[in-house]
Amino acid sequence: MKAAGGNDLGPICFRDLSSEDEDLTDTGSDFEETISKRPRRLHRPPLRDAPVSKRPRRERDKGNATGGDLFEAIKQGKSAMEILVDEWLDSYKLDRESGLLELINFLMEACGCKGVVTQEMVERMQNAEIIHKMTEECDEDTADYPLSLTSQPWKKFRQNFGEFLETLVSRCQYSIIYDEFLMDAFISFVTGLSDSQVRAFRHTSSFAAMKLMTGLVKVARNLSVHLETSQRQYDAEKAKRPEKRAPEKLETLLRKQRDLHGNLEEIGNMMNGLFKGVFVHRYRDVVPDIRAFCMEELVNWIRTHSQSFLNDSYMKYVGWTLHDKQGHVRLQCVRSLQSLYAVQEMTGRLELFTSRFKDRMVSMVLDKEQQVAVEAIKLLELISKNMENVLTKEDCETVYPLVYASNRSVSTSAGKFLYHRLLETDDAELSTKDRSRRAPHSVFFKLLAAFFIESELHKHAAYLVDGLWECARPQLRDWECQTDLLLLEIDGMDDKQESALIEILVSSLRQAAEGTSPVGRVPARKVPSAKEKKIQSEDKVRLTRHMIVTLPQLLAKFSADPEKVTLLLTVTWLLELEMFYTERLEKHLDLLLIQVRDILEKHTETDVLEACTRALYVLCNQEQTVYKQADITRSHLVDQLTDQLSQQLSDILQVSDLDEDEVYNMAATMKRISFLYSSHDLSRWELFEPVSRVLRRGIDTGEVPEQILLPALACCHFSLLWNLERFSRSRPSQDDLAALRQRLCLFCEMCQSCLSDYHAAVREQAFVLISDLLIIFGGHMARGERSHLQPLVYRPDSSLQAELAGFLLDHVFIEPEDEDGADEAGQISLLHNRRNLLAGYCKLVVYSVLQLHWVSDVFRHYVKFYTDYGDIIKETLHKSRSINKEESTRTLLLSLTQAYTALFLEENTPPQRTSRSFLEIRELARRFSLLFGPNQLRNRQDVVLLHKEGIKFALRPSPGSEPSPQNLIFLDVLSEFSPKLLKQDKGFLLQYLDQTRQLCLPQQQGGDADELWAPFVAYQKSLQVESESSPTTPSRSRAQRDRVRSRPPASLVTPPSKRKRKSKDAVEDSSVITEGGGKRPLPLMTSTLLKERKAPAGPAREEGEESADSEAEFEPSQSIIVRRHLGTSSSLGRLQTKTGTPGTLSSSLHRLTLMEEEDEDEEIVIEEVESSSPSPEGEERPIDLLDSAILDSEDEPPV
């Protein structure tokens, strides 16, 4: 722009903004000092006479304009914003001090502050003092304020708030904005408020400042437009010849330019104050929303007035914020950039910014926030569309693979980018030779197949098609073009291209017919609308009409390729089979059945046979019109296979040494029959007897190869299942049931024999089949309407149960060093097979086929094999608790004792307390304890039972030897369950522990005995409870601890005087752990070993107290990792170590009544526990916490 004198008038008002902001550093506090206010002019021009408002207004209090009416009007949003602003401007013109005060109080109320700014405060106090006083009156304990609320009314208020400020600036742009009062005062107050440490003040004022800035930018743009127009008019007038030139008009235009230039400079000063005083500090505020709307408004300024703001001085803030830690802020930045790159005229001025931040924008397609990644891909698509040669091949290759992403939005966005960048074709680019009806789509499929091959994800064509479905649906639905490319061989596609195109074809057919998402892609597609269902139905009819004709041709052409025919056979599941007859296409049905039969006879690959079997199953559906024709083909096929089998059986049953061809032919025939048997009932061909003879010969002689045994096992298995299915629908005779029962027993016996077979595949298949049969023919089978099947119920004998359990130990729970070296894929396959075996065994327990104690071997490997089988074992643990809580508890203890016994036998000596193997057992116990949950009352009986049986195991004499405390270390394991005990139960168990010790293991003396008995003492301490009956002074507590520590170990815990002692035989009779191989599962416990607090050092401690009788003798137990179970504020959760002698039941109940008031609601007494069995009327049955053979107190029983 040129002035009258020819001087450059450029955007003067923005010169300081774009240059001086370089001096502002991005370091320092988030709450900067309030910027110094710009000095006002001494002489203000008088306001123009304002017209009298036509709207009635109520009288305002000049000294106290609260702004409440303005706040409510904006919150409700019932009036147009222009009307609301005009009403306020009318009041401002009448009394500008009162109008400004109302605006300030409105801002404070929008901050959620209840304080009111008065006229006296404005006149006598600085802005900082006013803000400080408002801070004192603000309720800082409340985190909610209008802009922080997300409900719909407050979202509407936020929108109206911003619109009000922008409208205010717009309506003031011709006069009031230049009065050097309103804008100067309000901007100064907002700037100071934006530096407040009160989040509500800072958030609201920053939002207001950005909206004011947006309004000012629009005013500056309008002024720039008027200035340019005036300059053009001036230049045009001046260019006239002197005789035609109007000097008055030139003077008027020159004066107008000076006025516009002055106004533009003043607007620039206001924007300069807001930008440097608010934006430069707040764009990096700690509140993510402040940073987000700062970026949003900055890009609005750039779009509104690109001439002044579209430069690197402002764009750098957007680029820096692309690295923000909050996804919401990054998302706002990316969306803002999209609005810039979408305008073709702006992209030329974004080249420097793009080159500087392109790498960051490309990397954001992998953002952890899925929505950010989606918008980043869209941004790159805009850059690719409007800026040529900016994105390199490497940049695009970062986006292309995302079409396979599991998130649907990401894959769809990446699919659009891929389509527009790589797959989209232009008819103008095609040669005249290629311009046929399908030429553009042919090029599309060639490019798509090439991309699919290069991506090396050949099992994910469904994800590729799903990602491209939104943008390339017309091309993907052009099945005629795809089949022409496969059949006509015009362009000479190679084998890889054909395989890729077949995968794409099948995936597009499935996408059109089913409309479902590939497995694992989220979120799933929404429920289709009526229109979408109609389109899907039409697509299915169209693809059926085309594929009925072309599918037999494709199968014939690629019949020798297993991978291709497997994919093509899946198309039969998508066809509308009724159209074979409605469209008079019966001959194509014959061709299809012939091709399916030929492929099944030609191949032995598992995938091909499974696809053929399923295709026949779909075609042989009795509800379809094609059933009769398909059933004839199936019957001829089975007849042919059974004839071959009968001819080959004589050779395998008579000849001991078969050649390779005979073995291959026999195995191929058996395999085809087994796959047909899996989906079709072949019972009328009576295959069980001949196949079982093959199995029996293989088991007896070992001369039958593995590849024959595997399909033979499958054939017998399916024969039993099809007979059971037929008997379930009818009422068979007793002879038929007896015959099936005999076959079942015979097959289970053969499977049991195969569990020890030399071939791993045979062993595993036998295990899986017998596990399934035991569940299918379990006791639940003969319930309800199928009670007539009771004779078929099969329960495994003890030998089979033992062999199944031993199979797991030998072939599932295997140490890594025992395995042969294998590649990663092989290791994963082995692990997958073992998980299937373990899951099959656990199902036997869950369905009550096996008793719970048979799963103890599985439970004891929970920690050791947690990475491989932890999820399966954990689920079985929870299911066992729902089956039978008592038996589950015994099983858990049995697992612990088995693990301990195995460790004892391995080391041939009691394990060390700090050894790694023993610590694994303790960790196993800790995991088991979590099963009992936080409700101690619900699992009270089970926890006590576990402790009792665990004590018996630890203290019982060794078989055939003198009493010895060699198992005392097991008490360390048992202590992991102590926190799950109620306080009352701990007292009883202390008595039980002491009496059992005295009857089973007399106390031994000596240095070795002290260390041997340390687990006993540690377990005893875990059962002690700190008395809370009365407050104790520190000196008294210390004296009690000293007395305990000075007590000799021989005394341990003295039982009450009234307690009766029972004989040692009574203890042994009540134990559930028997000698020898048959051990029942032991009780389960959940508790944790607690350290005793060390007494503070002081003169009261004597050297004699630091002897072997002191706390030092318990150091071995403290060297072990100790876990504390932190409970609630109740006294039950704050377990402490008791230092005195355990009291009787009555004393325990007495202590309960003296608990603190805060714990009264959690008092637990024995009466609150419901008995497991009904008690006689009028009689209360107490819980049997201890064996009656051991505990027979003369005290009154608890009530």
Side-chain angles (χ1 to χ4, degrees):
M1 293 177 291
K2 300 288 184 180
N7 297 327
D8 187 4
L9 291 179
I12 298 175
C13 58
F14 309 112
R15 188 169 57 244
D16 294 338
L17 271 71
S18 60
S19 61
E20 294 180 7
D21 60 352
E22 299 291 347
D23 299 332
L24 297 172
T25 61
D26 293 310
T27 60
S29 171
D30 286 324
F31 317 114
E32 302 292 343
E33 293 293 336
T34 305
I35 63 172
S36 58
K37 298 187 292 294
R38 177 168 53 88
R40 300 176 181 175
R41 300 178 186 177
L42 296 178
H43 301 287
R44 300 188 183 118
L47 289 174
R48 302 176 184 175
D49 295 335
V52 179
S53 174
K54 298 181 180 179
R55 302 181 185 87
R57 295 186 306 275
R58 62 181 179 83
E59 294 294 330
R60 300 177 184 270
D61 184 4
K62 180 177 180 179
N64 186 18
T66 61
D69 295 340
L70 191 58
F71 179 83
E72 289 298 328
I74 292 177
K75 179 182 176 182
Q76 295 175 4
K78 295 182 179 179
S79 301
M81 206 55 60
E82 290 80 3
I83 297 176
L84 194 61
V85 170
D86 288 342
E87 288 184 354
W88 181 86
L89 286 176
D90 291 341
S91 66
Y92 175 81
K93 292 174 183 178
L94 293 176
D95 187 348
R96 64 181 189 177
E97 286 81 6
S98 179
L100 176 62
L101 188 61
E102 182 181 9
L103 192 61
I104 291 175
N105 280 316
F106 159 69
L107 181 62
M108 298 308 302
E109 193 164 356
C111 295
C113 178
K114 302 302 181 183
V116 177
V117 180
T118 63
Q119 185 64 37
E120 182 180 1
M121 294 169 60
V122 174
E123 293 175 353
R124 297 188 178 184
M125 300 171 65
Q126 297 291 330
N127 285 340
E129 296 174 342
I130 297 175
I131 294 171
H132 180 70
K133 184 172 180 60
M134 292 296 101
T135 301
E136 293 177 349
E137 298 183 12
C138 181
D139 185 8
E140 297 188 34
D141 295 335
T142 302
D144 295 334
Y145 52 93
L147 291 190
S148 69
L149 300 175
T150 57
S151 59
Q152 190 59 36
W154 291 112
K155 286 183 178 180
K156 185 66 176 177
F157 168 78
R158 180 187 181 118
Q159 179 181 351
N160 293 339
F161 183 25
E163 184 182 354
F164 171 79
L165 294 175
E166 291 186 35
T167 306
L168 176 63
V169 176
S170 176
R171 306 293 282 186
C172 296
Q173 64 178 317
Y174 298 111
S175 60
I176 299 178
I177 199 172
Y178 308 111
D179 67 357
E180 297 186 0
F181 178 76
L182 174 64
M183 298 305 296
D184 287 0
F186 192 63
I187 289 175
S188 177
F189 185 79
V190 169
T191 303
L193 198 62
S194 67
D195 268 344
S196 173
Q197 294 190 11
V198 179
R199 174 171 292 191
F201 289 177
R202 196 172 69 256
H203 192 177
T204 307
S205 60
S206 299
F207 180 79
M210 295 301 100
K211 292 299 180 180
L212 285 173
M213 182 74 172
T214 300
L216 291 173
V217 170
K218 293 179 181 178
V219 173
R221 179 199 59 189
N222 295 337
L223 288 174
S224 297
V225 171
H226 292 322
L227 188 58
E228 291 176 358
T229 303
S230 178
Q231 181 65 39
R232 287 196 302 270
Q233 292 174 351
Y234 179 84
D235 294 340
E237 187 66 27
K238 191 175 181 180
K240 294 179 181 180
R241 289 183 296 177
E243 60 273 12
K244 293 185 178 183
R245 188 182 304 165
E248 297 82 4
K249 186 175 182 180
L250 287 175
E251 185 64 27
T252 302
L253 291 173
L254 187 59
R255 185 169 54 253
K256 181 179 180 181
Q257 288 185 29
R258 284 196 295 266
D259 292 341
L260 291 173
H261 193 275
N263 293 341
L264 193 58
E265 184 178 2
E266 192 158 351
I267 294 296
N269 292 333
M270 295 178 192
M271 293 192 298
N272 189 44
L274 285 172
F275 187 83
K276 293 185 177 181
V278 181
F279 177 86
V280 170
H281 304 298
R282 298 281 70 82
Y283 88 92
R284 49 193 170 91
D285 195 276
V286 295
V287 180
D289 187 56
I290 296 179
R291 304 197 298 271
F293 66 63
C294 281
M295 291 302 105
E296 180 182 7
E297 297 304 322
L298 174 60
V299 175
N300 285 339
W301 309 337
I302 296 173
R303 288 203 316 270
T304 302
H305 199 3
S306 61
Q307 180 181 358
S308 298
F309 285 94
L310 185 54
N311 56 61
D312 301 323
S313 298
Y314 299 102
M315 289 297 300
K316 65 181 181 182
Y317 295 106
V318 183
W320 291 341
T321 315
L322 288 174
H323 298 270
D324 198 277
K325 293 182 179 179
Q326 293 292 328
H328 169 59
V329 182
R330 297 194 303 274
L331 179 61
Q332 184 60 59
C333 288
V334 175
R335 285 176 172 171
S336 299
L337 287 175
Q338 289 176 7
S339 64
L340 296 180
Y341 282 99
V343 182
Q344 182 71 39
E345 293 76 13
M346 291 186 181
T347 54
R349 302 172 63 181
L350 289 170
E351 291 181 356
L352 184 59
F353 173 83
T354 305
S355 63
R356 170 63 179 83
F357 295 101
K358 184 189 69 172
D359 293 341
R360 173 57 185 163
M361 290 187 284
V362 171
S363 66
M364 291 182 74
V365 302
L366 303 176
D367 197 281
K368 64 179 181 180
E369 299 289 341
Q370 301 292 346
Q371 191 60 37
V372 177
V374 170
E375 299 300 330
I377 296 172
K378 293 179 180 179
L379 175 60
L380 293 182
E381 184 180 353
L382 289 172
I383 294 175
S384 175
K385 180 179 179 181
N386 295 327
M387 301 181 70
E388 296 182 0
N389 302 324
V390 172
L391 295 180
T392 63
K393 182 180 179 181
E394 292 74 15
D395 297 334
C396 296
E397 288 176 351
T398 305
V399 184
Y400 293 158
L402 295 178
V403 75
Y404 297 103
S406 59
N407 184 274
R408 174 176 300 282
S409 300
V410 174
S411 66
T412 302
S413 299
K416 291 180 181 178
F417 182 88
L418 172 65
Y419 175 74
H420 294 299
R421 182 78 183 186
L422 190 65
L423 304 177
E424 191 173 20
T425 57
D426 189 358
D427 293 343
E429 298 177 359
L430 297 174
S431 62
T432 307
K433 181 179 178 181
D434 294 333
R435 288 180 185 175
S436 62
R437 184 171 61 91
R438 307 193 187 281
H441 291 181
S442 299
V443 175
F444 169 83
F445 286 115
K446 291 177 184 177
L447 293 173
L448 183 59
F451 169 77
F452 184 53
I453 295 171
E454 292 176 1
S455 62
E456 298 180 355
L457 295 170
H458 302 290
K459 299 298 181 182
H460 297 79
Y463 295 87
L464 175 62
V465 171
D466 186 63
L468 292 169
W469 194 253
E470 297 296 332
C471 58
R473 181 179 299 185
Q475 291 89 333
L476 293 172
R477 291 168 63 244
D478 190 355
W479 300 299
E480 293 83 359
C481 178
Q482 298 178 64
T483 53
D484 287 348
L485 288 173
L486 291 170
L487 293 173
L488 299 181
E489 299 182 356
I490 298 176
D491 301 313
M493 301 180 67
D494 58 20
D495 183 68
K496 288 185 177 181
Q497 291 175 326
E498 289 176 343
S499 298
L501 188 56
I502 289 175
E503 287 193 58
I504 294 171
L505 169 64
V506 174
S507 299
S508 62
L509 289 170
R510 183 181 292 110
Q511 187 79 20
E514 299 177 353
T516 57
S517 304
V519 178
R521 176 152 286 177
V522 292
R525 288 185 177 274
K526 299 179 181 179
V527 178
S529 61
K531 181 179 180 181
E532 292 174 339
K533 289 181 179 179
K534 181 180 179 181
I535 295 175
Q536 180 178 333
S537 177
E538 293 174 353
D539 285 345
K540 191 169 184 178
V541 171
R542 191 169 68 86
L543 72 88
T544 300
R545 185 178 292 111
H546 176 69
M547 295 307 298
I548 282 178
V549 178
T550 57
L551 182 58
Q553 301 176 31
L554 291 171
L555 290 174
K557 178 178 179 180
F558 300 107
S559 60
D561 193 318
E563 183 180 354
K564 294 185 178 70
V565 296
T566 301
L567 290 170
L568 291 171
L569 284 170
T570 60
V571 177
T572 56
W573 316 339
L574 310 174
L575 302 179
E576 290 284 355
L577 300 181
E578 299 294 334
M579 293 182 63
F580 277 105
Y581 288 94
T582 57
E583 300 286 335
R584 299 186 179 276
L585 299 172
E586 296 89 344
K587 64 177 182 178
H588 296 286
L589 176 61
D590 293 334
L591 294 175
L592 177 61
L593 290 171
I594 292 173
Q595 291 300 326
V596 173
R597 176 177 176 175
D598 291 345
I599 291 172
L600 191 143
E601 294 176 347
K602 185 182 298 184
H603 293 275
T604 59
E605 290 83 0
T606 300
D607 293 339
V608 179
L609 294 179
E610 184 177 355
C612 290
T613 301
R614 186 166 180 181
L616 281 175
Y617 176 78
V618 172
L619 296 171
C620 292
N621 187 353
Q622 295 184 7
E623 298 178 358
Q624 299 290 341
T625 55
V626 300
Y627 166 72
K628 184 176 181 181
Q629 198 168 348
D631 182 59
I632 294 173
T633 302
R634 179 182 60 180
S635 299
H636 291 168
L637 177 62
V638 178
D639 288 339
Q640 180 179 347
L641 291 175
T642 52
D643 292 341
Q644 295 176 4
L645 178 63
S646 60
Q647 296 174 4
Q648 296 162 352
L649 275 177
S650 58
D651 296 336
I652 195 171
L653 294 176
Q654 298 175 5
V655 179
S656 58
D657 188 12
L658 298 174
D659 58 25
E660 293 183 1
D661 291 339
E662 293 174 335
V663 171
Y664 175 81
N665 293 332
M666 179 68 177
T669 303
M670 293 286 291
K671 193 172 184 179
R672 294 185 181 106
I673 293 176
S674 66
F675 272 95
L676 285 171
Y677 226 151
S678 65
S679 302
H680 306 268
D681 187 4
L682 308 182
S683 300
R684 56 184 172 138
W685 281 272
E686 295 293 340
L687 297 174
F688 183 87
E689 294 298 334
V691 175
S692 62
R693 291 202 302 270
V694 176
L695 278 178
R696 175 55 63 188
R697 177 174 176 82
I699 294 171
D700 294 341
T701 64
E703 296 176 354
V704 179
E706 171 189 3
Q707 53 268 40
I708 296 178
L709 287 177
L710 291 176
L713 285 170
C715 285
C716 292
H717 174 74
F718 291 125
S719 174
L720 295 173
L721 296 184
W722 281 112
N723 283 322
L724 176 63
E725 191 272 339
R726 189 172 65 256
F727 290 171
S728 300
R729 292 184 284 105
S730 60
R731 288 281 179 174
S733 63
Q734 293 299 321
D735 293 339
D736 293 337
L737 291 175
L740 181 56
R741 170 76 182 190
Q742 183 180 3
R743 290 183 177 183
L744 175 63
C745 296
L746 175 63
F747 182 69
C748 289
E749 178 186 350
M750 290 188 293
C751 286
Q752 183 176 354
S753 301
C754 290
L755 292 178
S756 56
D757 193 89
Y758 174 78
H759 302 288
V762 176
R763 293 196 305 265
E764 293 176 359
Q765 179 154 339
F767 184 88
V768 171
L769 294 180
I770 197 172
S771 299
D772 290 344
L773 286 178
L774 289 176
I775 294 175
I776 295 172
F777 288 89
H780 64 278
M781 177 186 65
R783 296 174 184 172
E785 297 179 356
R786 299 192 299 176
S787 58
H788 60 281
L789 300 179
Q790 183 63 38
L792 297 179
V793 174
Y794 184 83
R795 293 182 174 86
D797 55 16
S798 57
S799 63
L800 178 56
Q801 295 181 34
E803 196 152 358
L804 290 173
F807 182 89
L808 285 185
L809 297 179
D810 295 337
H811 304 291
V812 175
F813 296 109
I814 303 175
E815 295 288 347
E817 56 266 21
D818 296 341
E819 300 176 357
D820 298 333
D823 57 358
E824 183 178 358
Q827 293 290 346
I828 294 175
S829 178
L830 286 174
L831 178 60
H832 180 70
N833 292 337
R834 290 171 185 168
R835 286 175 58 85
N836 285 339
L837 297 176
L838 178 60
Y841 184 84
C842 290
K843 284 193 297 184
L844 295 177
V845 178
V846 171
Y847 285 94
S848 302
V849 176
L850 300 179
Q851 296 181 358
L852 280 179
H853 66 85
W854 283 106
V855 81
S856 61
D857 283 327
V858 175
F859 290 168
R860 70 186 177 98
H861 291 93
Y862 181 39
V863 173
K864 193 171 185 180
F865 292 89
Y866 183 80
T867 303
D868 296 338
Y869 315 121
D871 55 337
I872 299 175
I873 300 177
K874 183 178 181 180
E875 184 65 21
T876 308
L877 282 167
H878 287 289
K879 291 293 185 181
S880 68
R881 297 291 298 167
S882 62
I883 295 174
N884 189 315
K885 294 178 66 176
E886 180 179 350
E887 286 301 316
S888 175
T889 301
R890 295 180 182 275
T891 303
L892 295 179
L893 185 58
L894 179 60
S895 300
L896 294 173
T897 56
Q898 287 177 342
Y900 173 81
T901 303
L903 181 60
F904 184 90
L905 296 177
E906 180 181 349
E907 299 180 357
N908 201 21
T909 182
Q912 297 295 322
R913 302 178 72 187
T914 58
S915 66
R916 180 178 179 181
S917 301
F918 183 73
L919 291 179
E920 287 182 356
I921 300 178
R922 291 198 62 175
E923 173 64 16
L924 179 63
R926 188 190 70 81
R927 298 282 184 94
F928 286 168
S929 70
L930 300 178
L931 292 173
F932 293 100
N935 193 330
Q936 295 173 312
L937 191 61
R938 178 183 301 174
N939 300 293
R940 183 179 184 183
Q941 290 181 330
D942 299 323
V943 176
V944 171
L945 175 65
L946 190 145
H947 275 276
K948 287 168 51 180
E949 303 303 335
I951 290 171
K952 295 174 185 177
F953 175 81
L955 299 180
R956 65 189 175 96
S958 301
S961 62
E962 294 296 328
S964 172
Q966 61 182 4
N967 289 339
L968 284 179
I969 192 175
F970 186 77
L971 293 176
D972 278 346
V973 178
L974 207 59
S975 65
E976 295 291 338
F977 300 90
S978 295
K980 298 299 180 181
L981 288 166
L982 298 178
K983 289 186 177 181
Q984 306 94 300
D985 299 341
K986 288 186 177 182
F988 291 124
L989 286 174
L990 277 172
Q991 300 175 18
Y992 182 80
L993 175 68
D994 187 71
Q995 292 187 11
T996 306
R997 178 193 61 79
Q998 294 182 23
L999 293 175
C1000 296
L1001 293 175
Q1003 180 66 26
Q1004 297 186 9
Q1005 303 291 338
D1008 295 339
D1010 294 341
E1011 184 175 354
L1012 193 61
W1013 282 82
F1016 181 90
V1017 179
Y1019 176 64
Q1020 187 183 45
K1021 291 173 65 177
S1022 72
L1023 297 178
Q1024 294 174 346
V1025 183
E1026 186 73 25
S1027 176
E1028 299 182 5
S1029 58
S1030 60
T1032 58
T1033 61
S1035 60
R1036 181 178 178 184
S1037 300
R1038 185 181 302 111
Q1040 291 175 351
R1041 287 194 298 268
D1042 292 342
R1043 285 196 298 272
V1044 172
R1045 289 170 180 162
S1046 61
R1047 184 175 300 152
S1051 61
L1052 291 175
V1053 180
T1054 305
S1057 57
K1058 294 184 179 181
R1059 186 178 300 161
K1060 292 184 179 181
R1061 304 193 177 201
K1062 290 295 178 179
S1063 64
K1064 182 177 180 180
D1065 296 337
V1067 179
E1068 294 177 350
D1069 292 342
S1070 62
S1071 176
V1072 297
I1073 303 180
T1074 59
E1075 304 298 338
K1079 293 185 179 180
R1080 291 191 63 188
L1082 292 184
L1084 172 64
M1085 296 209 168
T1086 7
S1087 101
T1088 308
L1089 180 62
L1090 300 179
K1091 292 184 180 179
E1092 182 180 4
R1093 297 179 180 176
K1094 295 184 179 180
R1101 293 185 57 85
E1102 300 178 0
E1103 294 181 0
E1105 297 174 347
E1106 298 178 1
S1107 62
D1109 299 336
S1110 68
E1111 188 179 350
E1113 68 180 358
F1114 306 129
E1115 288 181 359
S1117 64
Q1118 294 179 357
S1119 64
I1120 301 175
I1121 299 175
V1122 179
R1123 294 177 174 85
R1124 296 176 180 267
H1125 291 264
L1126 301 178
T1128 61
S1129 60
S1130 71
S1131 60
L1132 297 177
R1134 299 191 298 270
L1135 296 178
Q1136 298 177 350
T1137 306
K1138 183 177 178 182
T1139 57
T1141 305
T1144 61
L1145 173 63
S1146 58
S1147 62
S1148 298
L1149 295 176
H1150 175 66
R1151 282 195 300 272
L1152 282 175
T1153 62
L1154 299 177
M1155 284 183 175
E1156 297 178 2
E1157 232 177 84
E1158 62 180 3
D1159 296 328
E1160 286 182 356
D1161 57 336
E1162 295 189 27
E1163 268 190 322
I1164 300 178
V1165 293
I1166 301 177
E1167 298 171 339
E1168 297 173 345
V1169 183
E1170 298 180 0
S1171 175
S1172 58
S1173 60
S1175 301
E1177 185 176 355
E1179 178 183 349
E1180 294 185 358
R1181 180 178 179 181
I1183 294 178
D1184 184 16
L1185 297 177
L1186 305 174
D1187 283 346
S1188 59
I1190 293 183
L1191 180 62
D1192 187 12
S1193 175
E1194 294 179 356
D1195 295 338
E1196 183 178 353
V1199 294

